Amino acid sequence: MRRSLSLLFLALNAAAYSQQKGTENLVQYVKPIIGTQRMGHTYPGATAPFGMVQLSPDTDTIPYEMNGKYNGDVYKYCAGYQYDDKTIVGFSHTHFSGTGHSDLGDFLIIPTVGDLQLNPGTAENPTSGYRSPFSHNNETAEAGYYKVKLDRYNIEAELTATTRVGLHQYTFPKSDNAHIILDLMAGIYNYDDKNVWTFMRVENDTLVTGYRQTNGWGRTRTVYFAMSFSKPIAEYGNKNFDKKQAYHGFWGKFDQSKNFPEIAGKQFRAYFNFKTTEGEKIKIKFALSPVSTANALMNMRAEIPGWDFEKVKSDVQNAWQNELQKITIQSQSKEEKENFYTSMYHAFINPITYMDVDGSYKGIDQNVHKADGFTNYTVFSLWDTYRALHPFFNLIQPKRNADMVQSMLAHYDQSAEHMLPVWSHYANENWCMSGYHSVSVLADAIVKDNATFDANRALNACITTSGFRRFDGLGYYIDKGYVPCDKTGTSVSTTLEYAYDDWCIAQAAKKLGNTKVYDEYMKRSENYRNVFDPSIGYMRPRYSDGKFREKFDVLSTNDQGFIEGNAWNFSFFVPHDPASLITMMGGKKRFVQHLDSLFTMELPDKYFAETEDITRDGIIGNYVHGNEPAHHVAYLYNWTDQPWKTQERVRMILKKQYRSTPDGLGGNDDCGQMSAWYIFTTLGFYPVAPGSDQYAIGSPAIDGAVLHLENGKTFTIEVNNQSDKNVYVKKVLLNGQQLNRLYITHSEIMNGGKISFYMSDKHGK
Amino acid sequence: MRRSLSLLFLALNAAAYSQQKGTENLVQYVKPIIGTQRMGHTYPGATAPFGMVQLSPDTDTIPYEMNGKYNGDVYKYCAGYQYDDKTIVGFSHTHFSGTGHSDLGDFLIIPTVGDLQLNPGTAENPTSGYRSPFSHNNETAEAGYYKVKLDRYNIEAELTATTRVGLHQYTFPKSDNAHIILDLMAGIYNYDDKNVWTFMRVENDTLVTGYRQTNGWGRTRTVYFAMSFSKPIAEYGNKNFDKKQAYHGFWGKFDQSKNFPEIAGKQFRAYFNFKTTEGEKIKIKFALSPVSTANALMNMRAEIPGWDFEKVKSDVQNAWQNELQKITIQSQSKEEKENFYTSMYHAFINPITYMDVDGSYKGIDQNVHKADGFTNYTVFSLWDTYRALHPFFNLIQPKRNADMVQSMLAHYDQSAEHMLPVWSHYANENWCMSGYHSVSVLADAIVKDNATFDANRALNACITTSGFRRFDGLGYYIDKGYVPCDKTGTSVSTTLEYAYDDWCIAQAAKKLGNTKVYDEYMKRSENYRNVFDPSIGYMRPRYSDGKFREKFDVLSTNDQGFIEGNAWNFSFFVPHDPASLITMMGGKKRFVQHLDSLFTMELPDKYFAETEDITRDGIIGNYVHGNEPAHHVAYLYNWTDQPWKTQERVRMILKKQYRSTPDGLGGNDDCGQMSAWYIFTTLGFYPVAPGSDQYAIGSPAIDGAVLHLENGKTFTIEVNNQSDKNVYVKKVLLNGQQLNRLYITHSEIMNGGKISFYMSDKHGK
């Protein structure tokens, strides 16, 4: 209870704060529609900052398989919504933001009038089911608010949300035959057996509870709900689509399909009937819980006690304003502001709050736990987000980031494998992607003095995690110093990632004064050398016997020993020691040539097809911004004699990869990692190696900014003479003193003060 | 914790009490093997009194369907064990006792040596799987203890149990290749889709946790476990039998089949390997919980902290002694004592304790609740047990019976239908059989001054339950005074049962001074008259329009409007008003002739095939003791001029239907109802109409008994001159005064004292 009240308090504070400081309304610049076309994989619906509920329209329900084979189209629908679609299937309550795989789409609701239809129908023939055509002309997507007209039914649908509760408001025409459909079969990345079990109880004529248990990307996942109607249900029922009903004794003594209050099965859809007058609004509060229907109801009552849609909308938008105004920027460009604040918005969606208002959540051990003294979060897409998102949180959301670390430590404590999370959500470890990058997040927080958690406990968790020999070639890595290519398919990238992660552990140990661990892991962090083939100048797959693999294509992403990247890109992946990398690769001059080639070469067509996650726009030369492994690469010029090329390149990437349009993202936003890159880069600096306290200086793309830090201090970024042409940094002053280095430190920012950039259209030395 | 300590305390007390009073060891007379052959549906394994764990061998795994059709053989295996079988598949932890339908058989374990086999094999060809032949010569079944030699493996298996924990002790031969198999696919009444989900975690080298979720007779049922080995696991693994694996991202980076600690799916079997020396004992503690694996572990630690098998066995047998010695009997016949104390044993198995040591349990609303001030029970087979078992509990287990009522009230509070239980277990309402007989249990407790619960709340629950119009023809019954045969298949028996149940509600209301409810329900209780056809003298199906059904066979059980009985038997079903029934059926003389015919007529062969639940031995004339509706019938002579025929008949039934052999039960024990009938009848009296405080006097079949009542008083039954021939009651004294009526009252027993029967071989008036 306390927690939800404090959210409200924050929200009210936000409005007051905004008024008091005279901050402009920043919510106006958030365009959730950005990234919903093509490969951004964002969703346009309503969510609170880091909210458990993501209430958003789904424009198609794509089966994972067609005729027993993987259905390629399914990838498009990771967020449930594709801008080019003409119909809306309904509004579901959970969505990933920007991922390249999915799950979720729980509890799809659609209001209809006329004959009851209990199947979604097809996009080609919407009237074959319940879906409705819609038009972007009748669609509004704001932070925390979404509105659309369902053309077929002449129903206006409005959605808003608190942290744990979605609020629907449907404005009906007059009808004696109005329905609210609750489709418990619907889901994103759906397939026949995905629904393990669903359960629904009609508790009384306005309250329905239940749960959905799925075997999806998350192998064992259950979400509980409580659903309250603003108007009593006239009658209700369901249709069961199970292939076969199990034997249930004497259930036959009831007609279970109509007005029977307790339904369970693998596949069913429910409906609730109403009579409506012209313009009548029916509202639905839909609360989630990871623990129980009782807790979902508790969440509902705590967060939305009444039925005031406008108030809930205004509260959530105030909460967004409060988050957005942590950075105020100066820019003449509305598009720049839209890009910036939409990036802030996308950065503040994941990880999501994963506990009830009383702190209860289901752990990966399937038991119910209480978060003691922290907010528990889930959705850790760590291979993506350790790079810039968590460092961004350390800067601008340090309290939340420390709580995320606590959440990861709780996962570690509850994990059967005794590992920190790799890609986890909703009491599941999905084991997606490579490395054990949670150690980067922990080390970054420790090194940056944001360890409100027990730092030594965190270090021990890192050490244990990095010692789980049976994980993805790790035993070989420990024994041989590299993962042999005859043992795993991504042996080289995994070796490189382990080496970086080990350096992070060393940094944490150093900060905590543990020399022994520092020495051990610094040694491990040099393992990147073991997969470098000096004869060709690239990282290269290597067999157990030490020989490099002969058949090898440095441009191909397929089956070359790398994940989401080729040897060209991954050969730059030594973020923790660029200087040694440069030496290893032949010195600064040769390294610059190599970097230049990356950005300028003509990648033969055949390699495009391999880059799964990204559109052609996401590729610059052979640099693939839509995939994360190269996110630090443009900043590596800083370690050469030509740092101005960093300035030039990052400005080019900003322009090419981020636009304020539905198709404005060059690749998956990946839970905010792409957005965090944008924000850092726009502000003029970037964390090349999280776990270090340094930010490499780039080229600020706005006219100034103020960081309102959680410690009460402000850090002002003054940018003089910046423009699309004036991308080169002539001079930097830190608190009035000339800065004679190419980085600033975390503490320099956190102490408050001012950095002044002086920009030019000509590069300096 | 307190609760489990108090169990221990009771057990220790039992031993002390037994010693102190010089009571003989009664556990020696318990033969759990009685009823395991043919249709008794009891199990021979280990359980504590009213225990959550029933750890017992299963002799076959019968699929519910074969080639898409119901497999008739499955009925034999309701309790998992059939005496005539030659092989044991393994030992599972949950079993119903005596039911005519099943579920359960959770968590089957078998120890093996030699090549690992992960399928059960067939009875015909045991070596095709892991099952082992066994011999009854090497088998011991006692209360709370079971032992058998697995011939194939030369392993001695011993089982014992506390309330919530099963304890296995396996004595191995020397082997480098010893296994403990945990079959999470096994189950009783199994079919393809029954396993909804199973989950297993190897927490460390001696502890495994997990759960099994099934869609069986109980539609949504989950049991959690914690399993501890006395010896560290050398290695472990599992085999997945799912038809198809869902897409799980990057799980492929592990070999999940071996030494991977977290397994989930619909169909898998796990194994744990050991090396054993000759005669080495490996023990397994296996704790259950309805709530979570954490609670299962809590239960384990509370109930069996150490590894002393003999102590656990001795404790549970002391607990049994404590329960059994609540009635001490005098008899020269060892068989009589075996029948009596095995009946006591079978009566004290169900309902089972359904909460963790801290009082947590999962309610029918799927939420976790805490039992506040009572022990929560489940497995309510009320159509059977309201007749004699719950009345027996009111007499000899009043505290438990009041707690069972509390459990039923909790079910009512949590039920979506707002009904008291019909046939409920493990957070499920199975809706099995007819009537709302829970009201009989509540009324009986209220009328007999055993309402430690809130009696008015209970009465309200009865009224609400009896008003749920959509339940099984109830709306028609309320409107028309009978259930029309064009509306349900069991219209007549259901009408009769509702009428009796309504009388129970009236009795409770009367006791509580609620005249309005009393009057209303007394009126409803006369509804039995509406299905009586005076033209033929039988109860008869009636259409909505009031006409009796023409096509009608009074001997047939099939499709005649009755459940588990024909018109002949059910026409006697007015237990609450035999006098009116007799008048309605033509007076005492004609009624006696009719009753005599019931017991003596030759039932044509074709009708035997219809009596599903019982063997031919279970039928006496047309009286079917194996089915419950006639259980009160032999006592109806008491309302005629020939009460001695009651005495004669009940003694004949005792002899014919109860024997101290594996095939000694004439029909399903039905959760103790058949046993409770035996106990009452053997003691010389029977509750013809629960909800009344009267017991009809029959013919005591022993030489005396002492009831050690919970209130500290004793009630002594003195029987003079009783023998197999001297079955007639010549005279009865109550506390020395001649009893001039054919019943005694509940309070006469509870006040303590003595009843003296004087028996003769000639019947009196």
Side-chain angles (χ1 to χ4, degrees), chain B residues 600-627:
Chain B
T600 57
M601 70 190 292
E602 287 268 339
L603 192 63
D605 270 354
K606 69 168 180 171
Y607 297 110
F608 278 109
E610 297 178 356
T611 53
E612 183 191 330
D613 270 24
I614 38 158
T615 55
R616 188 138 189 155
D617 295 353
I619 304 183
I620 300 170
N622 179 18
Y623 170 85
V624 185
H625 191 69
N627 283 340

Side-chain angles (χ1 to χ4, degrees), chain A residues 38 120 207 216 412 431 470 498 619 637:
Chain A
R38 304 168 73 181
L207 179 64
Y412 167 81
W431 300 115
R470 287 189 301 101
Y498 287 164
I619 304 183
Y637 288 106

Side-chain angles (χ1 to χ4, degrees), chain B residues 150-292:
Chain B
L150 299 174
D151 289 339
R152 175 175 169 192
Y153 303 118
N154 192 24
I155 293 172
E156 185 181 75
E158 293 173 278
L159 313 173
T160 186
T162 61
T163 299
R164 298 168 181 84
V165 191
L167 180 58
H168 307 238
Q169 177 166 276
Y170 298 122
T171 306
F172 279 86
K174 175 173 167 49
S175 173
D176 287 345
N177 208 9
H179 319 283
I180 306 273
I181 292 168
L182 170 61
D183 188 338
L184 284 160
M185 294 164 67
I188 299 173
Y189 264 61
N190 237 12
Y191 33 82
D192 273 1
D193 283 345
K194 183 164 179 179
N195 265 16
V196 169
W197 201 242
T198 47
F199 191 93
M200 187 185 90
R201 276 163 63 98
V202 181
E203 306 274 353
N204 59 47
D205 64 1
T206 57
L207 179 64
V208 180
T209 61
Y211 61 80
R212 178 175 187 238
Q213 178 181 355
T214 51
N215 169 27
W217 195 26
R219 191 169 59 174
T220 305
R221 178 172 170 275
T222 306
V223 196
Y224 300 84
F225 74 87
M227 178 192 196
S228 175
F229 294 96
S230 61
K231 175 178 178 153
I233 304 159
E235 54 181 8
Y236 63 95
N238 75 98
K239 186 169 176 189
N240 192 305
F241 293 82
D242 280 346
K243 279 175 196 150
K244 194 175 149 189
Q245 293 278 0
Y247 176 80
H248 288 302
F250 295 73
W251 279 86
K253 69 179 51 158
F254 288 109
D255 173 8
Q256 288 185 68
S257 69
K258 209 165 170 188
N259 295 323
F260 185 75
E262 192 194 16
I263 296 297
K266 292 177 188 176
Q267 303 284 356
F268 68 85
R269 298 187 173 106
Y271 63 90
F272 306 91
N273 293 344
F274 302 87
K275 290 187 182 184
T276 52
T277 56
E278 180 64 33
E280 181 173 357
K281 291 183 198 313
I282 296 181
K283 299 174 205 177
I284 301 169
K285 294 189 267 199
F286 202 102
L288 302 185
S289 163
V291 167
S292 66

Side-chain angles (χ1 to χ4, degrees), chain B residues 99-390:
Chain B
T99 53
H101 200 290
S102 197
D103 214 338
L104 316 185
D106 302 286
F107 313 125
L108 183 133
I109 284 178
I110 185 162
T112 73
V113 295
D115 287 347
L116 179 67
Q117 282 176 294
L118 286 178
N119 72 80
T122 61
E124 297 72 37
N125 186 11
T127 55
S128 63
Y130 56 64
R131 75 173 69 201
S132 171
F134 77 109
S135 156
H136 294 302
N137 295 331
N138 298 323
E139 187 184 36
T140 305
E142 300 174 6
Y145 176 70
Y146 177 85
K147 179 167 78 168
V148 73
K149 189 177 157 205
L150 299 174
D151 289 339
R152 175 175 169 192
Y153 303 118
N154 192 24
I155 293 172
E156 185 181 75
E158 293 173 278
L159 313 173
T160 186
T162 61
T163 299
R164 298 168 181 84
V165 191
L167 180 58
H168 307 238
Q169 177 166 276
Y170 298 122
T171 306
F172 279 86
K174 175 173 167 49
S175 173
D176 287 345
N177 208 9
H179 319 283
I180 306 273
I181 292 168
L182 170 61
D183 188 338
L184 284 160
M185 294 164 67
I188 299 173
Y189 264 61
N190 237 12
Y191 33 82
D192 273 1
D193 283 345
K194 183 164 179 179
N195 265 16
V196 169
W197 201 242
T198 47
F199 191 93
M200 187 185 90
R201 276 163 63 98
V202 181
E203 306 274 353
N204 59 47
D205 64 1
T206 57
L207 179 64
V208 180
T209 61
Y211 61 80
R212 178 175 187 238
Q213 178 181 355
T214 51
N215 169 27
W217 195 26
R219 191 169 59 174
T220 305
R221 178 172 170 275
T222 306
V223 196
Y224 300 84
F225 74 87
M227 178 192 196
S228 175
F229 294 96
S230 61
K231 175 178 178 153
I233 304 159
E235 54 181 8
Y236 63 95
N238 75 98
K239 186 169 176 189
N240 192 305
F241 293 82
D242 280 346
K243 279 175 196 150
K244 194 175 149 189
Q245 293 278 0
Y247 176 80
H248 288 302
F250 295 73
W251 279 86
K253 69 179 51 158
F254 288 109
D255 173 8
Q256 288 185 68
S257 69
K258 209 165 170 188
N259 295 323
F260 185 75
E262 192 194 16
I263 296 297
K266 292 177 188 176
Q267 303 284 356
F268 68 85
R269 298 187 173 106
Y271 63 90
F272 306 91
N273 293 344
F274 302 87
K275 290 187 182 184
T276 52
T277 56
E278 180 64 33
E280 181 173 357
K281 291 183 198 313
I282 296 181
K283 299 174 205 177
I284 301 169
K285 294 189 267 199
F286 202 102
L288 302 185
S289 163
V291 167
S292 66
T293 61
N295 281 19
L297 190 55
M298 170 180 72
N299 292 340
M300 181 195 289
R301 287 173 176 160
E303 295 193 350
I304 311 187
W307 286 104
D308 188 340
F309 187 90
E310 289 306 319
K311 180 175 184 310
V312 174
K313 176 189 171 191
S314 147
D315 285 351
V316 70
Q317 294 200 325
N318 283 341
W320 274 115
Q321 171 75 15
N322 187 56
E323 299 294 343
L324 298 173
Q325 71 195 3
K326 288 179 175 174
I327 303 179
T328 46
I329 63 168
Q330 284 170 265
S331 172
Q332 297 307 314
S333 158
K334 182 162 173 262
E335 190 187 350
E336 190 67 62
K337 285 189 171 180
E338 287 174 349
N339 280 335
F340 191 87
Y341 286 108
T342 303
S343 292
M344 290 279 277
Y345 169 80
H346 281 146
F348 294 161
I349 288 177
N350 284 306
I352 65 165
T353 302
Y354 180 64
M355 64 179 205
D356 297 318
V357 290
D358 70 348
S360 306
Y361 68 96
K362 189 178 280 179
I364 193 171
D365 61 358
Q366 304 286 300
N367 285 306
V368 175
H369 300 267
K370 281 220 177 185
D372 186 13
F374 67 99
T375 297
N376 192 57
Y377 290 92
T378 195
V379 182
F380 287 108
S381 181
L382 289 160
W383 185 85
D384 302 298
T385 57
Y386 84 87
R387 300 167 201 263
L389 185 67
H390 285 286

